[in-house]
Amino acid sequence: MRELTGLNKKLNFLFSGFLRSFGALNEWLHHGHFLSNASAARIYVGIQLNKIHIQALILYVSVLLLTGCEVGPDYKAPKLDLPPADAKSNTTAKEVQKFMSQKWWTVFHDISLDKLETMAIERNASIKLAIESINEARALAGVSRAELMPSVEMKGSADKTYASKNTTKPFGNSLDYLGRAGVSYEIDLFGKYRKANEAARANLLSSRAAKEVVMLTVTADVAKSYFNIRALDAKLAIARRTLQSREESYRVHKSRFRNGYCTELDCLRLEAEMASVKTTVLDLESSLEKAELALSILIGNSPREFMSKKITRGSSLEKLRIPSDVPNGIPSDLIARRPDIVEVEGKLIAANARIGEAKAAHFPSISLTSAFGFESKSLTNLFSSDSGMLKFGGGLSLPIFSGGKLSALEEVAKIRYRKALLDYTGAVKVAFREVLDSLVSRRQNREIVVSRTRQVNALKRSYSIALAQKESGLIGMLDLLDVERNLLGAEMELVGALQNNLNAVVDLCKALGGGWTKDALKLN
């Protein structure tokens, strides 16, 4: 109930009825109706209440509970200016579904990559930490839910008092035994605890989505790291092959120089080129070791495994299958497929609920307490019917003056909601931008691979012609080295283009949510 018109009259009626019932109960207890007499049937606790007063109490308490009025705004999903859905962005299309599988990396058809992804999901430290964050949020939601329930406790005590003989009113020594059970409950009349529970459940939803974000990020990083290793393998093979060719040419020309068949300048140029390629080989070997270590950490290997295990390779970079039927549009349900958007929306829901919780702090709170048990000066008579005791009470707490603290806390809650709203709208924009970027990158990189492949094929043919001309004496060593240097650079660039093409597919799968759906996070 959002409107508070007439609330004062309702509260006056409820409170007066509650007090009348409590007064009747007090009068009834005062006249000795609390304990059973010798002729009555004995019950374990020796306590018996008049049914009329019990019904009256239940009636007024039930009215209080059922007419509870939640304050604060109800959550409504923000209105977003989204592009209209069209046929190209239909998520039911076959060309889109393969990029939205939960095991999206299987589009590359590489068994080694599949195994690495499985190991990362099971062993990665970031994923385990995200799971623990879910457990923490679930426990906090349980704490918040418990605030809506009555609390029951049992207490037993034995007190011995030695009175001072020098006081003006000496009462003498006393010994008192007590055993009782108590029930306390605060009526959530204005929804303070219900709003807190709503916020806690929203935080749990957000933490579950955050875990999916971490898992999607880790699996994407594993795929990119694996492709980086395969690219370094390919570059290292090219560099080593070139180095072997340079070493052989240097050996031949050095022998010819000793016999006077070539100049020293040719030998020095070959030696410089050989040293340059050697440096490239060493740099690539260093980069490869670092890349393997980084991937080993991603898949959760221990320090011992860092040293003893190597990353298993699968298909070579040029043989990895890359899907050609990449979608051209954005899925119409992109927002429901992105866990990062659901994560920030959960925080937005929680921030909205905190406003209601802060508003409820301005209104009165009503608490009910009761205790029943036994109290006696003798331990042997503690559980007799004459030792029975009952305590029942209610309390009303209403904030009058807090120096503006409650209003300030409400304003803080509103500011946090506005900040969460900005985060949500920003996340939606980032989601659409990432999908568009990945689609553009995929199309461009595919064309770049085609161009680089033509370049390498042309340079290979040029190198063959230049080598034959060099042997025939038509061109000099400098011309041959230029062609060979250009070929080496073009082959390295082709490997980089192939890697970028693979990474673009990874980015697309990640941008589309990686097979995750919002329905997987629905709470009971």
Side-chain angles (χ1 to χ4, degrees):
M1 183 187 308
R2 295 178 57 86
E3 298 295 335
L4 297 181
T5 304
L7 184 60
N8 290 333
K9 293 182 179 180
K10 181 174 68 172
L11 288 176
N12 289 333
F13 170 76
L14 295 175
F15 292 159
S16 61
F18 171 76
L19 293 176
R20 285 197 302 271
S21 177
F22 178 74
L25 175 63
N26 181 64
E27 182 180 358
W28 177 76
L29 293 175
H30 181 71
H31 284 82
H33 294 285
F34 164 59
L35 301 177
S36 62
N37 52 40
S39 61
R42 292 183 177 275
I43 58 175
Y44 180 71
V45 296
I47 299 174
Q48 191 178 44
L49 292 177
N50 188 293
K51 293 183 178 180
I52 297 176
H53 294 87
I54 293 178
Q55 292 174 354
L57 285 174
I58 294 176
L59 173 63
Y60 287 115
V61 172
S62 299
V63 170
L64 285 172
L65 292 174
L66 295 176
T67 58
C69 180
E70 283 192 11
V71 295
D74 295 329
Y75 175 75
K76 294 181 180 179
K79 295 182 179 180
L80 302 170
D81 185 17
L82 302 179
D86 52 38
K88 292 183 179 180
S89 62
N90 192 344
T91 57
T92 60
K94 293 182 180 180
E95 64 272 13
V96 179
Q97 287 299 320
K98 66 173 62 178
F99 297 96
M100 293 183 175
S101 169
Q102 288 187 344
K103 295 183 178 181
W104 53 266
W105 53 86
T106 57
V107 298
F108 301 107
H109 302 280
D110 189 298
I111 297 177
S112 296
L113 176 59
D114 296 345
K115 293 180 180 178
L116 291 172
E117 295 286 6
T118 301
M119 292 176 64
I121 292 174
E122 295 175 352
R123 303 164 59 182
N124 181 267
S126 298
I127 294 178
K128 290 182 179 180
L129 181 61
I131 293 175
E132 290 304 322
S133 296
I134 294 176
N135 295 334
E136 179 185 10
R138 183 182 293 111
L140 291 174
V143 172
S144 179
R145 185 171 57 252
E147 297 289 350
L148 297 170
M149 305 296 177
S151 61
V152 182
E153 63 176 1
M154 297 188 67
K155 180 181 179 181
S157 64
D159 298 323
K160 177 68 176 178
T161 303
Y162 295 92
S164 172
K165 296 180 179 180
N166 295 326
T167 59
T168 58
K169 296 180 179 181
F171 292 99
N173 301 335
S174 64
L175 179 63
D176 189 54
Y177 296 95
L178 174 66
R180 70 178 184 182
V183 180
S184 61
Y185 179 62
E186 181 175 347
I187 300 175
D188 192 24
L189 186 61
F190 296 97
K192 178 174 66 175
Y193 294 121
R194 278 171 286 172
K195 286 294 186 180
N197 183 48
E198 180 184 343
R201 288 170 59 83
N203 286 330
L204 175 57
L205 176 70
S206 179
S207 65
R208 287 183 174 180
K211 176 250 182 181
E212 299 297 331
V213 173
V214 172
M215 183 174 294
L216 185 57
T217 301
V218 169
T219 52
D221 289 344
V222 168
K224 287 187 175 182
S225 296
Y226 178 74
F227 296 148
N228 184 40
I229 290 174
R230 300 306 286 136
L232 290 171
D233 286 338
K235 290 180 178 180
L236 187 57
I238 294 170
R240 284 173 175 171
R241 186 188 69 228
T242 304
L243 177 60
Q244 184 179 4
S245 175
R246 297 280 172 86
E247 288 175 341
E248 179 63 22
S249 296
Y250 177 70
R251 185 186 63 80
V252 172
H253 281 73
K254 188 175 182 180
S255 176
R256 296 182 64 184
F257 168 68
R258 289 174 180 175
N259 295 320
Y261 292 104
C262 72
T263 65
E264 183 180 7
L265 182 60
D266 289 339
C267 287
L268 291 175
R269 286 176 176 174
L270 278 171
E271 184 177 5
E273 290 292 334
M274 180 182 65
S276 176
V277 177
K278 179 65 175 179
T279 301
T280 302
V281 170
L282 293 175
D283 288 340
L284 289 171
E285 289 176 343
S286 176
S287 298
L288 183 58
E289 290 183 6
K290 293 178 181 179
E292 288 186 343
L293 179 60
L295 181 54
S296 187
I297 293 175
L298 275 175
I299 63 177
N301 282 343
S302 65
R304 178 187 60 81
E305 292 172 323
F306 294 168
M307 307 300 295
S308 60
K309 289 187 177 181
K310 293 292 184 180
I311 300 299
T312 303
R313 269 69 160 176
S315 303
S316 60
L317 197 68
E318 60 273 8
K319 292 183 179 179
L320 281 169
R321 295 176 58 184
I322 302 177
S324 58
D325 49 350
V326 177
N328 295 319
I330 298 178
S332 57
D333 60 347
L334 176 64
I335 292 180
R337 289 186 172 274
R338 292 271 302 211
D340 55 335
I341 295 180
V342 177
E343 178 187 3
V344 294
E345 186 181 15
K347 295 178 181 179
L348 180 64
I349 296 172
N352 181 79
R354 294 298 182 191
I355 295 177
E357 184 182 4
K359 283 181 175 292
H362 291 276
F363 295 90
S365 60
I366 303 173
S367 60
L368 303 176
T369 58
S370 66
F372 58 91
F374 305 92
E375 186 175 13
S376 174
K377 294 183 178 181
S378 172
L379 184 61
T380 57
N381 295 328
L382 179 62
F383 294 104
S384 65
S385 61
D386 293 335
S387 298
M389 54 84 63
L390 173 66
K391 180 181 179 182
F392 180 82
L396 173 66
S397 176
L398 176 64
I400 302 299
F401 177 74
S402 61
K405 177 182 177 181
L406 298 180
S407 297
L409 290 175
E410 182 180 345
E411 182 62 24
V412 168
K414 292 179 179 179
I415 293 173
R416 289 176 177 173
Y417 172 80
R418 293 196 294 268
K419 291 171 62 178
L421 179 60
L422 291 174
D423 288 339
Y424 177 75
T425 55
V428 172
K429 294 177 182 178
V430 169
F432 279 86
R433 188 204 69 194
E434 289 180 350
V435 174
L436 291 174
D437 287 347
S438 61
L439 290 173
V440 172
S441 297
R442 169 61 181 138
R443 289 194 297 266
Q444 296 297 328
N445 283 311
R446 183 169 51 186
E447 295 178 4
I448 291 174
V449 168
V450 173
S451 298
R452 290 295 185 188
T453 302
R454 292 182 61 184
Q455 181 188 19
V456 169
N457 291 336
L459 285 172
K460 284 182 177 180
R461 177 60 179 164
S462 298
Y463 179 74
S464 299
I465 295 174
L467 184 60
Q469 291 178 346
K470 172 62 174 62
E471 294 297 331
S472 302
L474 297 177
I475 62 174
M477 176 55 64
L478 184 59
D479 296 324
L480 179 62
L481 287 177
D482 287 340
V483 176
E484 190 174 25
R485 191 185 304 112
N486 291 335
L487 176 59
L488 174 62
E491 288 180 319
M492 294 293 190
E493 293 292 342
L494 176 58
V495 171
L498 290 171
Q499 180 185 358
N500 291 337
N501 199 20
L502 291 167
N503 288 340
V505 177
V506 174
D507 289 336
L508 177 61
C509 294
K510 181 181 177 182
L512 294 175
W516 177 87
T517 58
K518 188 175 181 179
D519 293 339
L521 298 186
K522 286 186 177 179
L523 301 177
N524 293 328

